[in-house]
Amino acid sequence: MGKKNRPAPAPRAADTDKPATLKDLLNPQVIEKLKAQSDQMKADEAKRREEEQRTAAEARKAEQKRLDNNFEHLLANSEMDWRKYK
């Protein structure tokens, strides 16, 4: 049994004849408008996340200040090792 001659694979025509995408079909002005809207939404989301982080930080700071003024909390969480101060 000898080798069978196989025809060399032909270069694909699909690489050159790609189907039209939505980007190709839309008007460039519409694409720019959508990109601007996307950027605006990302900026709004970042601003909202930053505001949530700031609010959470303020709440933690207020809670810590309240606990620092609470003698019972300070006494319960203090180190009671008198050997350090001997």
Side-chain angles (χ1 to χ4, degrees), residues 10 15 18 36-37 47-48 53-54 56 58 67:
D15 293 339
K18 292 183 180 177
Q37 185 179 10
K47 188 176 181 181
R48 183 187 62 78
Q53 288 176 352
R54 186 182 61 79
E58 286 177 359
L67 290 175

Side-chain angles (χ1 to χ4, degrees), residues 46-64:
K47 188 176 181 181
R48 183 187 62 78
R49 264 192 255 116
E50 183 179 313
E51 182 68 25
E52 285 179 356
Q53 288 176 352
R54 186 182 61 79
T55 304
E58 286 177 359
R60 282 192 303 270
K61 188 175 180 181
E63 179 67 14
Q64 185 62 40

Side-chain angles (χ1 to χ4, degrees), residues 19-53:
T21 62
L22 184 60
K23 184 178 179 181
D24 297 334
L25 298 175
L26 285 177
N27 188 354
Q29 292 173 346
V30 173
I31 293 173
E32 290 299 319
K33 193 175 186 181
L34 289 172
K35 284 183 181 179
Q37 185 179 10
S38 173
D39 292 342
Q40 180 65 33
M41 290 174 71
K42 287 178 184 176
D44 290 345
E45 180 68 19
K47 188 176 181 181
R48 183 187 62 78
R49 264 192 255 116
E50 183 179 313
E51 182 68 25
E52 285 179 356
Q53 288 176 352

